[in-house]
Amino acid sequence: MKTSDFYYDLPPELIAQTPLDRRDASRLLTLNKETGETQDLHFYDLTKLLRPGDCLVLNDSRVLPARLIGHRLPGGGACEVLLLTDKGDKTWECLVRPGRKMRPGTRISFGDGALTAQVVEEVEGGNRLVRFDYEGIFLETLERLGKMPLPPYIKTELSDPERYQTVYSKEVGSAAAPTAGLHFTKELLSQIEAMGVRLAYVTLHVGLGTFRPVKEEEITDHEMHAEYCTISAETAETINRTRREGGRVICVGTTSCRTIESWAAEDGTLKESAGWTSIFIYPGYRFKVMDCLITNFHLPESTLVMLVSALAGREHILAAYREAVEKKYRFFSFGDAMFIY
C-alpha cells in the first residue's frame, strides 16, 4: 500500500488558524463505516449519537508549554529551545534553533536569567541534550516562561493558551494537544454522563513525531515514533465492563485509540498497563477494543489518515474528506470533527 493512496487535495484556507469562540460549536461530520453514509451536525449534537451504556475513552494528557525563547550567552543572538523528552537530572532532549549555533557548551538565558541552560550534547537526528539550571519547581517556571508548541501549520499566535488544552487535561507531558478532545466543554461532558454514558480516562503523551510526514513510498517502511501511555486499573475495568454488557467503546482521538489498542489482549480485554507504544494502525488492522472514533480531520498522507482508513475504509474516508472540503469544513488541530461509527 502506497503513501500516495492516502493523499487528498486541501485548500490552505481550510486549515483552521484559531479556535472557535465556543468549543462545542464546531461542525461534526458523521460517517457510517459500513455504508459510507454521512450527515452534517454540530459537536453539541453528540448527545444524539451516544447511547446509555456506551463508554467514551478520553486522553487526559496536558500540553507542556515547552517552547522557550531565549538568547545565547554572553551577549549572543536569539534562540529557541523546544522540550521533547525529560532525561532526568534537569536534562531534556530538545529541538533547537538556530542549530548551527547551538553546539555543545553553548549557554542560554531565558526570561532575563530566571532560567539558564547549557547544551550538553548533540544526539542522533540533530536534537540536543540541554541541562537546565533553576530555582524551585521546573513546571512552574515553564508555566511562567514557556509558550505553547503549536503545530507548524498554525501561523497565528494563540491569545489564550488554555484553548490548546482539553477541559479535562491533567497529566502534564505532551508536546501537542490530543485535539479531538478540544471540542468538549465541561457542560457537554456532564450531559453525556447524565445520559448513562461512562467516561474513562487514559494518558498518552503526544510527541512531535505525530507531525512527522511519511516519507517512504510503501507505508509499511515507515518507522513510527514511540509515545508513553498509561491505562489505570479503573479505566481497564470500565472498558471491559462496557464490552461485557454490549456497550460501544468510543475513543476520543487517535491517541486514545492507540493507547487501548496497544495494551489490549487478543480477546480485547484490558488490564492496568504503562509503557511506550509505537503501534502503527493502517488498513488491514483488526481493532480489538474500539468500536467508534471521534476525531479531527488529519493531514494528507499522514499515519492518522491511515488509522481512520483502517476503521472506516480508505474509500469511505477519502470520499468523506472530499465532501468536507466541498462543504468548507475547518481542518486540523483547531478545526471541525468527525464521528466514525
Side-chain angles (χ1 to χ4, degrees):
M1 202 170 284
K2 309 283 189 197
T3 299
S4 56
D5 292 337
F6 298 89
Y7 177 79
Y8 68 93
D9 193 37
L10 179 68
E13 62 270 19
L14 295 185
I15 300 173
Q17 293 296 311
T18 54
L20 296 178
D21 289 341
R22 180 179 156 191
R23 286 179 185 259
D24 63 359
S26 50
R27 294 164 75 188
L28 182 67
L29 183 69
T30 71
L31 173 63
N32 183 311
K33 62 189 179 190
E34 305 300 334
T35 66
E37 183 185 354
T38 59
Q39 185 182 8
D40 298 298
L41 298 173
H42 285 89
F43 202 83
Y44 50 72
D45 294 317
L46 193 59
T47 50
K48 300 174 184 174
L49 304 171
L50 303 176
R51 307 169 191 155
D54 285 345
C55 176
L56 273 189
V57 184
L58 306 110
N59 180 8
D60 65 5
S61 183
R62 188 168 172 81
V63 185
L64 200 64
R67 190 168 152 244
L68 289 162
I69 312 295
H71 65 271
R72 303 188 304 281
L73 297 173
C79 62
E80 185 175 320
V81 172
L82 182 63
L83 307 178
L84 297 178
T85 310
D86 185 356
K87 296 293 188 180
D89 192 28
K90 297 186 174 182
T91 302
W92 286 72
E93 183 174 339
C94 303
L95 281 172
V96 299
R97 288 196 300 188
R100 67 187 187 285
K101 295 188 176 179
M102 301 279 276
R103 296 189 174 93
T106 303
R107 291 187 302 120
I108 313 161
S109 172
F110 307 97
D112 295 324
L115 177 65
T116 58
Q118 183 167 1
V119 179
V120 178
E121 185 184 333
E122 183 171 346
V123 294
E124 191 179 351
N127 292 347
R128 306 291 195 273
L129 293 184
V130 179
R131 183 175 294 123
F132 292 88
D133 187 31
Y134 52 87
E135 297 292 328
I137 298 168
F138 189 52
L139 285 180
E140 289 181 358
T141 304
L142 276 184
E143 290 286 352
R144 204 167 64 250
L145 300 177
K147 293 178 177 287
M148 281 296 158
L150 293 176
Y153 47 75
I154 292 179
K155 312 298 183 189
T156 305
E157 197 74 30
L158 188 60
S159 57
D160 177 10
E162 276 303 306
R163 291 307 307 273
Y164 196 56
Q165 306 278 15
T166 62
V167 296
Y168 48 81
S169 64
K170 188 173 68 172
E171 304 293 337
V172 178
S174 276
T179 53
L182 294 179
H183 306 281
F184 285 94
T185 63
K186 288 181 177 175
E187 294 75 20
L188 182 57
L189 286 170
S190 295
Q191 286 175 35
I192 287 168
E193 263 196 303
M195 289 174 58
V197 175
R198 299 174 178 125
L199 303 184
Y201 294 92
V202 297
T203 304
L204 180 140
H205 292 315
V206 186
L208 283 183
T210 194
F211 301 117
R212 203 175 83 204
V214 179
K215 293 180 178 173
E216 290 75 13
E217 189 177 341
E218 294 286 340
I219 67 171
T220 48
D221 293 337
H222 176 70
E223 188 179 335
M224 281 292 284
H225 56 287
E227 294 167 314
Y228 191 79
C229 58
T230 61
I231 300 173
S232 68
E234 180 186 5
T235 287
E237 176 47 34
T238 299
I239 295 172
N240 291 341
R241 192 174 72 207
T242 298
R243 296 181 72 245
R244 282 196 307 269
E245 295 174 358
R248 298 177 300 175
V249 175
I250 302 165
C251 288
V252 176
T254 56
T255 59
S256 300
C257 164
R258 292 177 70 240
T259 301
I260 64 172
E261 292 293 325
S262 292
W263 300 111
E266 276 306 307
D267 65 355
T269 55
L270 289 164
K271 60 183 181 181
E272 184 175 9
S273 307
W276 294 86
T277 180
S278 54
I279 190 171
F280 184 10
I281 296 175
Y282 53 85
Y285 178 84
R286 182 182 66 81
F287 288 90
K288 299 192 279 289
V289 190
M290 184 178 75
D291 299 301
C292 311
L293 179 66
I294 295 167
T295 187
N296 281 16
F297 293 93
H298 304 294
L299 277 75
E301 300 184 329
S302 65
T303 60
L304 302 181
V305 163
M306 295 170 193
L307 186 154
V308 294
S309 296
L311 179 64
R314 186 180 71 91
E315 293 79 8
H316 287 166
I317 288 293
L318 292 180
Y321 272 52
R322 283 193 297 271
E323 182 182 334
V325 168
E326 287 166 12
K327 292 179 175 176
K328 296 194 166 14
Y329 273 69
R330 303 165 81 245
F331 278 67
F332 305 163
S333 296
F334 287 138
D336 296 315
M338 290 183 79
F339 180 73
I340 303 172
Y341 66 98

